[in-house]
Amino acid sequence: MTHVIQRQIERSGTTQQSIAITALTTKSNVSMMMKGERNISSDTYRALATNSNDGVFVTDTLNEFSDGFSTPAHSDRVYYDHPGLVKQQLIKEMKEAINALEHCDFLKRPEFMSREEKEEIVRTMTECEDVLFQGQMFLNTTCKHIKKNQRDLTKAFEQKLKMERRI
């Protein structure tokens, strides 16, 4: 947790005192936690995670508290549901789907496929579903970020297609 607190101070310019207020403790306790002289209680973790409005700090705190079983924040520069982070996740999912598609063999009829070949097709399908899900997340977060209605964007795209067809 020492590095999470230190990174929060460097990233956001916050002070030990403001972290202490968020953690419902004293500035000297925060200082001792940062030096590794004091263990952090589960109540302190809980207070840091629930009282902070900083998504990156909350995510990193939860990752520390869960001993690595939750996902850390992707980036220190942007908040966790920023379209840039969703875009990176979408690119990752697309690469995984492309890899699965390249290694999947669709040449046989289903009745002649082995169990392993069918499982590979199912895995490929789930990778493609991940792309669809992450793509929708990207559209939702980007529209929210730029304050645009997704239906208006769809209408504009459909009008563009109609004009291109006429030409």
Side-chain angles (χ1 to χ4, degrees):
M1 189 65 189
T2 300
H3 65 281
V4 172
I5 294 172
Q6 185 62 41
R7 194 164 70 177
Q8 175 67 5
I9 289 170
E10 292 169 1
R11 185 178 61 80
S12 67
T14 190
T15 63
Q16 286 183 356
Q17 181 62 41
S18 64
I19 290 176
I21 291 168
T22 303
L24 305 176
T25 188
T26 64
K27 180 183 172 194
S28 63
N29 276 344
V30 171
S31 178
M32 290 169 69
M33 285 181 228
M34 289 180 66
K35 294 176 186 172
E37 297 172 356
R38 176 158 302 206
N39 290 332
I40 302 175
S41 70
S42 60
D43 290 335
T44 303
Y45 276 115
R46 187 177 296 114
L48 286 169
T50 56
N51 296 335
S52 177
N53 293 326
D54 186 338
V56 172
F57 185 58
V58 170
T59 306
D60 284 346
T61 300
L62 293 172
N63 183 52
E64 254 330 283
F65 179 68
S66 68
D67 205 21
F69 285 105
S70 69
T71 306
H74 298 286
S75 171
D76 288 339
R77 293 178 293 134
V78 292
Y79 50 94
Y80 66 98
D81 61 345
H82 188 278
L85 296 177
V86 178
K87 178 192 86 167
Q88 292 302 323
Q89 187 63 29
L90 175 59
I91 290 169
K92 178 181 168 245
E93 294 295 343
M94 291 170 92
K95 288 178 180 177
E96 289 175 3
I98 289 169
N99 186 37
L101 285 165
E102 287 174 344
H103 292 91
C104 189
D105 185 15
F106 288 103
L107 298 177
K108 294 182 182 177
R109 291 186 172 276
E111 57 269 16
F112 299 111
M113 287 182 180
S114 67
R115 187 176 58 84
E116 291 81 18
E117 290 170 327
K118 288 180 182 178
E119 288 173 0
E120 186 64 26
I121 290 175
V122 169
R123 189 181 78 74
T124 302
M125 290 167 41
T126 59
E127 291 296 341
C128 292
E129 284 179 339
D130 291 346
V131 170
L132 293 174
F133 174 79
Q134 207 63 40
Q136 189 63 51
M137 285 288 298
F138 178 74
L139 292 174
N140 294 344
T141 56
T142 303
C143 284
K144 183 178 163 187
H145 188 70
I146 64 172
K147 295 176 177 50
K148 290 282 185 184
N149 185 337
Q150 196 169 351
R151 289 185 182 133
D152 294 340
L153 294 175
T154 304
K155 286 178 187 176
F157 180 72
E158 288 172 359
Q159 287 176 347
K160 179 183 169 190
L161 285 177
K162 284 180 184 178
M163 288 175 55
E164 287 176 355
R165 287 180 191 144
R166 288 180 188 164
I167 296 175

